[in-house]
Amino acid sequence: MGRPKKPMELQSGNISKHNIDTRELEEQAVTVSNDQLQKPPSWLRDNVAKKEWKRLIAIYNEIKIIGNLDYNNLGAYCNAFSNFIQVSEELRGQPYMVEHTNKIGVTNIAQNPLITIQRTYSDEMKKYSTMLGLSVDSRLKLAPIAAKEKNAGTLEFGDI
């Protein structure tokens, strides 16, 4: 399997004019709008998830890195976020270690099961945040694109 494709803004090296034109056409063909993202889906689990959706969409409208195809991933992230918050609130004030009695009646000290649930939602949020550009690493990969867009006006007309 070959390397994943990079956007033209991240390409380096000598690229022929024909390859540049072809890649730009390919990128335009896969660019999608984000009109469906403006309203939270009805299947979000609660108001916490809906508030997180609205908060992220306000940011995404400024940086324009996701589109309608990210609808389900964003919703899954918001639901995981809401679940993480709920478990974290339940865990507040509880001990991290609890007594657990097994099937044969022996009592042991074990980790609070809420910690495992919290970790599960944290891992789910990390997975989706990478897909959605919410992690520092994924945003740094997009930094050259943002810099090129910021300088586009200056580069087009020079130092006028």
Side-chain angles (χ1 to χ4, degrees):
M1 187 165 118
R3 292 182 185 167
K5 288 188 173 185
K6 291 182 183 179
M8 278 304 300
E9 290 86 0
L10 300 178
Q11 295 290 323
S12 60
N14 296 326
I15 305 170
S16 70
K17 178 69 175 154
H18 174 72
N19 286 344
I20 291 173
D21 293 340
T22 304
R23 289 297 301 274
E24 287 176 349
L25 288 173
E26 289 173 353
E27 289 177 15
Q28 288 174 0
V30 297
T31 303
V32 295
S33 66
N34 68 353
D35 58 326
Q36 294 174 359
L37 299 177
Q38 302 311 310
K39 183 180 175 194
S42 60
W43 48 265
L44 289 180
R45 71 180 302 269
D46 59 11
N47 284 334
V48 173
K50 289 178 183 175
K51 285 180 184 177
E52 181 67 359
W53 176 283
K54 291 175 183 175
R55 183 184 77 82
L56 292 174
I57 290 302
I59 296 167
Y60 283 137
N61 284 337
E62 292 175 18
I63 59 177
K64 300 173 182 149
I65 61 170
I66 69 169
N68 292 337
L69 294 175
D70 301 301
Y71 185 82
N72 292 329
N73 288 338
L74 182 58
Y77 172 84
C78 291
N79 279 338
F81 175 80
S82 174
N83 287 325
F84 178 82
I85 296 298
Q86 180 181 353
V87 170
S88 297
E89 288 174 354
E90 287 180 32
L91 190 57
R92 184 182 304 146
Q94 289 194 23
Y96 292 146
M97 303 301 283
V98 295
E99 290 185 357
H100 172 71
T101 305
N102 62 17
K103 293 179 184 177
I104 60 173
V106 177
T107 301
N108 298 316
I109 301 294
Q111 178 178 302
N112 189 328
L114 289 175
I115 293 173
T116 304
I117 296 169
Q118 184 185 42
R119 188 177 309 122
T120 301
Y121 289 123
S122 174
D123 291 343
E124 191 173 333
M125 288 169 47
K126 286 178 196 172
K127 178 180 76 173
Y128 286 112
S129 68
T130 301
M131 291 181 201
L132 296 167
L134 297 175
S135 69
V136 172
D137 291 339
S138 57
R139 281 194 311 276
L140 286 174
K141 290 177 185 176
L142 298 170
I145 297 171
K148 184 175 179 183
E149 288 178 5
K150 184 177 180 180
N151 293 331
T154 315
L155 296 175
E156 185 177 343
F157 299 107
D159 291 334
I160 296 178

